[in-house]
Amino acid sequence: MSRFKDPEHTSPAERWTIAFTVMCGAFIAVMDTSVVNVSLSHMMGSFGANVSSITWVATSYSIAEIIMVTMAGWWSSLLGRKNFYVASLILFTVGSILCGTATSFTQMIIYRIIQGIGGGALIPISQAIIRETFPLEKQGIAMSVYGMGVVLAPAIGPICGGLLTDGWGWPWIFYINIPFCLAALFFTLKFVHDPPYLRRGIQSVDWLGIGLLTIFLTGLQIVLERGQEERWFESDFIVLATIATGISLLIMIFWELRCKDPVINLRVLKDRNLTIGSVMGLIFGISLFGTTFVLPQFTQQILGYPAFESGLALAPRAITLMLFMPVAGGLYQKFGARTLVLAGITIILWSYYDLMQLNTQAGMRDMVMPLLIMGIGMPFMFIPLSAVSLCTVEKANITDASSLYTLSRRVGGNIGYALVAVLLDRKVQMHTAYLMENVSDSSRRTMDYLNETGQMLHQLGLNSVAATKTAYGMLNKMVITQAKMLAYNDISFIFGCMFLLLIPLIFLMPSKAKIADLTRR
């Protein structure tokens, strides 16, 4: 017999214990997508791997994780949701221990896949459990707890990774998971129980669906993460991976909509609120993970910061994210989703406008305010989306819906990484070509700069030939730096435009009164 209690009959202490228990699982699973980024150079030395190969430490985890995110509802039906969640925690713990003890590159990739298989389900199941644990009037606060796990984690991942790697070595970015996993495992076994309305059991295994899903998500991940390095469609490998990804997606959609026990329940997308929330979550993921990638790049390439300090550049956003999550949760209960999402988009646009004003003379102080503003705006968008996306989904399909909503945000993150890489490369080329048109021997300002620089270098002891050559090198470096700066400004502008495109979708979201009415039915 299930020991699950309705939200109305659960004490506040039990609710918050359950919330922080599952939030802990989601937090460590999400953080492990970004915590390794600042440690990859150290792993290269340990394993003797090159730059191209070592990125598979991150890619292998992401592929395994995103597949399990999508399959969380199916596995929950097969094993029971609590059993599956406990098994995932155990597997993630084992994978973390193995990753810390890896002595070869092959071992690390295998262990990261194990860790990703364990971590993937923790994210959507955590949201589903929190959604069911709190009554309607507490959903905003509940989603703020969930948000602290999945939005704060990628922001502080590089910071924690840098601290642990510099202080104790890269294995500790994995060992640090162990106490959190054990605590989450203990409290899950004690307090978390399956509700009676969850689907249980399957009549047949959807092997074709599993195969198609694996091909699609693996191909998508490889294309997005490796495309820039392989020069996109100049590479036969990327072309073949793209074709396989597209074909498997089309066949999977056709098959899964007709399968009795599908591995991914696409039928839940008939719920308009889930579909709108997933689309907006996709853009949110692009912004969150895209800026997580691009800002450290900016501080290293333009400002010349070392890896750890570049990770610290994200600290202001992480601080305000943490502080404003509960604030946004409380305001959601008072004003509803539409007002809060519109406010969130406006604040995020403000932050991108400020980021567009940065120049090569900027310092950390100039970045603090835009990132503080962005950290305020993101909770105002994330919490209403998380609450509204699941508010009208049938209770039996909550885990399936949470999986698809999480998938949209994760795919958005992958697109964000790829988009930043592509835009940075193309925009630097474009701006370099434009600036070079105005830097020539026929330009008086160019010749004045070369003559003044050459004379200064000559006074420092260089001969005339060396001074002239060095002056040209300095000019070329200045042009490339300015081109990169303009490229970063363009990326901020493009990300801001993406949020502008979301404004019409706000008016398709249900009002506060309608959410309450639909949820009580």
Side-chain angles (χ1 to χ4, degrees):
M1 181 178 293
S2 173
R3 296 166 56 193
F4 177 81
K5 296 180 182 179
D6 289 331
E8 292 77 10
H9 302 119
T10 305
S11 69
E14 288 177 304
R15 289 177 194 155
W16 288 111
T17 301
I18 293 171
F20 281 103
T21 296
V22 297
M23 185 272 283
C24 184
F27 180 85
I28 56 177
V30 175
M31 190 172 71
D32 266 59
T33 62
S34 62
V35 73
V36 301
N37 291 342
V38 296
S39 305
L40 292 179
S41 59
H42 297 266
M43 294 182 191
M44 285 171 60
S46 299
F47 301 135
N50 57 34
V51 175
S52 177
S53 298
I54 202 65
T55 56
W56 279 100
V57 174
T59 302
S60 57
Y61 178 87
S62 296
I63 291 173
E65 183 198 46
I66 203 169
I67 290 172
M68 294 307 294
V69 162
T70 314
M71 294 178 64
W74 185 83
W75 278 106
S76 296
S77 298
L78 181 65
L79 303 177
R81 191 172 67 187
K82 177 181 177 179
N83 293 335
F84 179 46
Y85 190 80
V86 169
S88 296
L89 272 173
I90 293 173
L91 194 61
F92 184 84
T93 307
V94 171
S96 297
I97 295 171
L98 292 174
C99 286
T101 60
T103 56
S104 71
F105 180 67
T106 302
Q107 283 183 350
M108 174 58 78
I109 297 302
I110 294 172
Y111 297 158
R112 282 288 279 175
I113 292 173
I114 294 172
Q115 192 189 30
I117 292 172
L122 300 179
I123 306 166
I125 292 180
S126 295
Q127 183 181 12
I129 291 173
I130 292 176
R131 170 71 178 81
E132 294 166 344
T133 302
F134 287 78
L136 174 65
E137 62 274 12
K138 299 289 185 182
Q139 284 298 306
I141 297 296
M143 287 301 112
S144 70
V145 175
Y146 174 70
M148 287 182 185
V150 300
V151 178
L152 189 60
I156 70 171
I159 301 172
C160 292
L163 281 171
L164 293 169
T165 301
D166 290 344
W168 293 282
W170 65 259
W172 281 93
I173 67 175
F174 302 110
Y175 293 148
I176 195 67
N177 294 329
I178 297 172
F180 294 100
C181 290
L182 294 178
L185 185 62
F186 172 79
F187 285 106
T188 299
L189 290 170
K190 186 172 179 62
F191 292 103
V192 176
H193 305 284
D194 287 347
Y197 48 74
L198 283 183
R199 290 187 294 113
R200 286 179 172 81
I202 57 173
Q203 296 181 2
S204 60
V205 177
D206 181 16
W207 292 112
L208 178 60
I210 293 173
L212 291 169
L213 178 67
T214 302
I215 294 171
F216 165 63
L217 291 177
T218 302
L220 179 66
Q221 193 80 9
I222 289 173
V223 169
L224 291 175
E225 293 204 13
R226 315 295 294 189
Q228 179 66 17
E229 181 182 332
E230 300 288 339
R231 305 305 301 172
W232 292 101
F233 299 113
E234 296 176 16
S235 165
D236 292 339
F237 172 69
I238 294 298
V239 171
L240 290 173
T242 303
I243 293 172
T245 301
I247 293 174
S248 60
L249 172 62
L250 294 175
I251 298 174
M252 182 183 70
I253 292 173
F254 178 84
W255 173 256
E256 294 299 283
L257 290 174
R258 287 158 179 78
C259 183
K260 187 174 182 180
D261 289 311
V263 70
I264 174 172
N265 186 7
L266 298 175
R267 299 180 184 93
V268 296
L269 289 174
K270 291 188 294 185
D271 186 288
R272 190 179 75 171
N273 294 326
L274 175 62
T275 302
I276 293 172
S278 297
V279 171
M280 299 181 81
L282 182 81
I283 302 299
F284 183 87
I286 291 174
S287 171
L288 176 65
F289 288 90
T291 51
T292 299
F293 174 72
V294 76
L295 289 174
Q297 294 287 319
F298 167 74
T299 55
Q300 289 181 54
Q301 294 185 8
I302 303 298
L303 306 184
Y305 288 4
F308 174 62
E309 289 185 26
S310 68
L312 280 178
L314 298 171
R317 187 178 70 174
I319 291 169
T320 48
L321 269 170
M322 182 174 63
L323 294 176
F324 278 84
M325 278 291 177
V327 174
L331 292 176
Y332 169 75
Q333 302 301 148
K334 184 174 183 180
F335 296 105
R338 290 180 180 176
T339 303
L340 243 65
V341 172
L342 182 59
I345 289 176
T346 303
I347 295 170
I348 292 171
L349 286 173
W350 178 9
S351 70
Y352 278 124
Y353 176 80
D354 284 351
L355 288 173
M356 285 172 55
Q357 313 307 312
L358 294 177
N359 55 51
T360 56
Q361 305 303 314
M364 185 68 78
R365 184 177 299 177
D366 300 295
M367 295 183 62
V368 168
M369 187 54 66
L371 291 176
L372 287 173
I373 294 170
M374 186 180 293
I376 294 171
M378 283 186 165
F380 284 84
M381 186 174 177
F382 177 82
I383 289 174
L385 288 181
S386 298
V388 168
S389 296
L390 304 184
C391 71
T392 53
V393 175
E394 293 181 11
K395 289 183 177 181
N397 295 324
I398 282 287
T399 308
D400 293 314
S402 179
S403 296
L404 289 173
Y405 175 66
T406 302
L407 177 67
S408 71
R409 197 172 60 251
R410 287 291 289 113
V411 169
N414 295 336
I415 293 173
Y417 284 130
L419 184 63
V420 165
V422 172
L423 288 174
L424 192 56
D425 182 61
R426 304 291 167 85
K427 291 292 184 178
V428 167
Q429 292 181 27
M430 183 188 76
H431 288 300
T432 299
Y434 173 77
L435 291 173
M436 282 299 186
E437 291 177 0
N438 298 279
V439 177
S440 65
D441 291 341
S442 60
S443 169
R444 180 164 184 170
R445 294 183 65 183
T446 300
M447 296 310 299
D448 288 343
Y449 170 83
L450 291 173
N451 291 332
E452 291 174 6
T453 305
Q455 291 174 9
M456 180 186 68
L457 292 171
H458 185 67
Q459 292 173 0
L460 292 175
L462 294 180
N463 60 48
S464 299
V465 175
T468 301
K469 187 176 180 180
T470 303
Y472 271 101
M474 293 173 63
L475 178 61
N476 185 64
K477 183 178 179 181
M478 183 186 300
V479 169
I480 293 174
T481 300
Q482 291 292 341
K484 287 181 179 179
M485 186 68 253
L486 291 171
Y488 286 117
N489 292 152
D490 288 346
I491 290 171
S492 296
F493 174 76
I494 291 169
F495 276 15
C497 289
M498 289 182 185
F499 281 93
L500 275 176
L501 295 175
L502 293 180
I503 292 177
L505 293 179
I506 295 174
F507 301 100
L508 297 178
M509 299 175 73
S511 64
K512 180 184 176 184
K514 190 169 184 180
I515 290 175
D517 179 58
L518 289 172
T519 309
R520 291 191 184 100
R521 290 182 184 178

